Amino acid sequence: MIEVKDAYESLVKNGVDMFTGVPDSLLKNICAYITDTAPKGKHIIAANEGNAVGIAAGHYLATGKAALVYMQNSGLGNTVNPLLSLADEKVYSIPMLLMIGWRGEPGVHDEPQHVKQGEVTLSLLDTMQIPYVVLEDVSQIGKMAALAMERKAPAALVIRKGTFGSYKLKNVSMNDNPLSREEALKLVVDHLHANDVIVSTTGKLSRELFEYREARNEGHGHDFLTVGSMGHSSSIALGIAIEKPGRRVFCFDGDGAFIMHTGALGIVASMKPKNFFHILFNNGAHESVGGQPTIGYQLDATAIAKASGYSHVLRASSADEIVEALQQLEHLDGPVLVELRVKINSREDLGRPTTTPVENKDAFMKELSI
């Protein structure tokens, strides 16, 4: 096990003093230490992993130094284009050090959305011709940082579960909103029509939705749980809304996912789906992977949606405000964005869906066929 302080100091000692990426549960301890320790302006939590590669490229162009780009292995897909068409030695030859959480490592139990990613992670890096080590010793950090600079191209550290010692984030983002995401979610579900369907985003929100349906002794056919594919729930919901104009389609989104692919808002708006209702649960944090902050409260989600062409936008935080907003939806045509500002809080005993993704898909498609 590597202590996060030692890992950070090794990075800095070897010329890596800029950090950017998207938080991952396997990296939450090192990410928390970076958040607490890196000087102002030297740590940027990016909108998505490709964004982080771009930031790292700009840093190198300005300083001649490699940056660290951290991500879950699911985020590799967002980096393929900039890594191969920007950073690769056959294009601009830009060094950077990738730190990749290896979810779904073969032989290690993990959630179903990580299985395929885990199987192909190393072979994908091989195909991209990015040299890597599965990190076991702190000395490997300096060697790979030196290799990236020597090759003037990306090199990677692959991180297994349990690689880093524990560290608790000190600079925790807090807000004074009265309701948790789960409490707000229950209010929304309680006001849905029997014919409404939900597409819920990756992370704890979908887990909370699943458990609330269980508590109500309901099936799960009305809900598509987007357990992977972060940032794409609104696009999935759009595809459904277009084909099922007689049903209200709700996208339950999170601020991290919303920010990751904000351009989807304009596509939704351009199609003008009257049955599309976008519910954004905004707590200003990547809570599902360690509580790292997002820019959820630094941007105006309602203004962005309105400027993108949404027909109506609403914001609420208290229970009364949320109920009032939901009542307004009865009389509004979509696309509508309702931003629910919630506090950072979730149950420690929060479970996971007991159905497989394929079972969820089949039940959802059966419901849509009615």
Side-chain angles (χ1 to χ4, degrees):
M1 184 176 292
I2 299 172
E3 296 303 322
V4 293
K5 180 177 183 291
D6 295 338
Y8 178 86
E9 290 178 351
S10 179
L11 288 163
V12 174
K13 177 182 176 181
N14 287 280
V16 179
D17 63 357
M18 178 68 185
F19 309 89
T20 182
V22 176
D24 166 46
S25 58
L26 298 191
L27 306 179
K28 66 180 180 181
N29 294 322
I30 184 67
C31 287
Y33 191 84
I34 290 169
T35 298
D36 285 340
T37 308
K40 185 177 181 180
K42 291 293 188 177
H43 180 210
I44 301 173
I45 298 177
N48 59 58
E49 295 83 0
N51 174 212
V53 171
I55 292 168
H59 174 74
Y60 174 75
L61 293 173
T63 67
K65 298 167 69 176
L68 179 78
V69 178
Y70 59 82
M71 69 190 79
Q72 187 179 107
N73 52 348
S74 62
L76 268 173
N78 285 332
T79 68
V80 170
N81 180 31
L83 284 175
L84 296 184
S85 67
L86 172 68
D88 190 84
E89 61 265 43
K90 293 182 179 178
V91 192
Y92 287 103
S93 194
I94 296 176
M96 59 189 67
L97 186 60
L98 312 178
M99 182 177 282
I100 303 165
W102 195 1
R103 295 297 303 270
E105 177 187 354
V108 178
H109 175 73
D110 211 328
E111 298 307 309
Q113 67 269 27
H114 298 297
V115 172
K116 178 60 70 172
Q117 295 279 5
E119 289 176 355
V120 304
T121 294
L122 301 186
S123 59
L124 180 57
L125 289 170
D126 286 332
T127 299
M128 297 168 70
Q129 298 177 2
I130 295 175
Y132 63 87
V133 296
V134 178
L135 187 63
E136 296 180 349
D137 183 85
V138 71
S139 65
Q140 294 173 302
I141 294 174
K143 292 176 182 177
M144 295 309 289
L147 180 62
M149 290 300 294
E150 177 187 331
R151 297 178 67 245
K152 288 188 168 54
L157 304 168
V158 178
I159 309 300
R160 286 184 165 122
K161 183 178 181 179
T163 295
F164 291 117
S166 62
Y167 179 85
K168 189 172 180 60
L169 183 68
K170 297 175 183 176
N171 294 320
V172 179
S173 298
M174 299 300 293
N175 63 62
D176 57 0
N177 295 310
L179 299 182
S180 69
R181 179 186 51 249
E182 188 170 19
E183 290 168 332
L185 180 149
K186 291 178 178 179
L187 286 174
V188 179
V189 173
D190 288 346
H191 281 78
L192 296 183
H193 300 170
N195 203 37
D196 294 341
V197 296
I198 300 169
V199 178
S200 59
T201 191
T202 185
K204 291 183 178 179
L205 190 152
S206 281
R207 294 162 60 185
E208 290 164 347
L209 175 59
F210 186 92
E211 290 214 340
Y212 192 45
R213 294 294 197 189
E214 291 279 291
R216 288 164 57 108
N217 294 314
E218 297 174 343
H220 303 280
H222 286 80
D223 310 324
F224 183 81
L225 309 176
T226 317
V227 293
S229 194
M230 182 174 173
H232 293 298
S233 293
S234 62
S235 298
I236 297 168
L238 173 63
I240 297 166
I242 291 170
E243 298 300 333
K244 297 293 179 180
R247 305 187 76 152
R248 295 199 306 175
V249 180
F250 284 76
C251 173
F252 283 12
D253 218 346
D255 49 298
F258 178 90
I259 293 164
M260 183 168 277
H261 296 295
T262 310
L265 296 176
I267 303 303
V268 170
S270 71
M271 298 306 297
K272 300 181 174 23
K274 293 183 178 181
N275 58 332
F276 185 98
F277 299 91
H278 199 160
I279 312 297
L280 172 60
F281 296 83
N282 185 358
N283 64 5
H286 287 288
E287 188 189 356
S288 294
V289 288
Q292 302 294 318
T294 72
I295 57 168
Y297 289 169
Q298 297 175 45
L299 52 77
D300 188 335
T302 56
I304 293 171
K306 190 66 177 177
S308 297
Y310 275 51
S311 300
H312 306 278
V313 295
L314 303 167
R315 177 181 289 149
S317 58
S318 70
D320 288 344
E321 290 171 347
I322 293 173
V323 170
E324 181 181 352
L326 294 169
Q327 290 171 343
Q328 289 187 56
L329 294 188
E330 301 290 337
H331 312 290
L332 298 178
D333 286 336
V336 178
L337 176 82
V338 183
E339 181 191 7
L340 305 182
R341 294 205 164 190
V342 296
K343 63 184 176 183
I344 304 171
N345 182 54
S346 59
R347 291 184 286 115
E348 290 188 4
D349 63 347
L350 180 63
R352 295 182 181 275
T354 55
T355 57
T356 68
V358 171
E359 289 170 339
N360 174 227
K361 178 203 69 174
D362 289 345
F364 186 73
M365 291 182 70
K366 181 178 179 181
E367 172 59 35
L368 286 179
S369 70
I370 298 174

